[in-house]
Amino acid sequence: MLLAFSVAPSGQPAEGTAAAGAADASVHDAVAEAVRIVRDSGLPNRTDSMFTTIEGEWDEVFDVVKRATEAVGKYGSRVSLVIKADIRPGYSGELTGKVERLEDAISAQES
């Protein structure tokens, strides 16, 4: 499965957290912590300006998303989570494979 997600805090950070007392939740610090969790998972992943995409089996992917979401929760009183998944049993390497097939199709059209 490929799963793209975006997670961000909003509202005041909870008392007793590293971000407590800040006038506004630090989105980039929260996202950095979430991305670190993804990268430390060992699953294939890619982060761009809008989403982080990870590849793996259902349970392992959702475990990473849960941990990343919980980490972001320290930075605000609520968390926004957006998920998009491509569930295709029996396939792996699609994080790069889909992009390679797209680039091949574009090249073929230009020829």
Side-chain angles (χ1 to χ4, degrees):
M1 116 182 307
L2 288 176
L3 187 140
F5 77 105
S6 173
V7 60
S10 63
Q12 284 293 111
E15 291 300 320
T17 64
D24 194 9
S26 175
V27 174
H28 67 270
D29 287 339
V31 171
E33 192 163 342
V35 171
R36 182 191 53 77
I37 289 167
V38 170
R39 290 179 179 173
D40 288 350
S41 75
L43 295 176
N45 66 85
R46 177 177 292 147
T47 299
D48 61 36
S49 61
M50 297 289 292
F51 287 94
T52 294
T53 304
I54 55 180
E55 183 172 15
E57 297 300 319
W58 185 278
D59 289 340
E60 60 190 0
V61 166
F62 274 96
D63 174 63
V64 173
V65 171
K66 179 181 180 186
R67 289 187 290 120
T69 302
E70 289 171 344
V72 167
K74 297 185 295 190
Y75 292 86
S77 57
R78 63 193 318 173
V79 176
S80 171
L81 175 64
V82 176
I83 295 176
K84 181 175 182 178
D86 180 3
I87 303 163
R88 195 171 184 196
Y91 286 79
S92 63
E94 291 297 283
L95 187 66
T96 56
K98 289 179 93 167
V99 176
E100 290 167 358
R101 289 189 299 277
L102 172 65
E103 292 297 335
D104 289 346
I106 291 169
S107 293
Q109 291 177 350
E110 292 174 346
S111 300

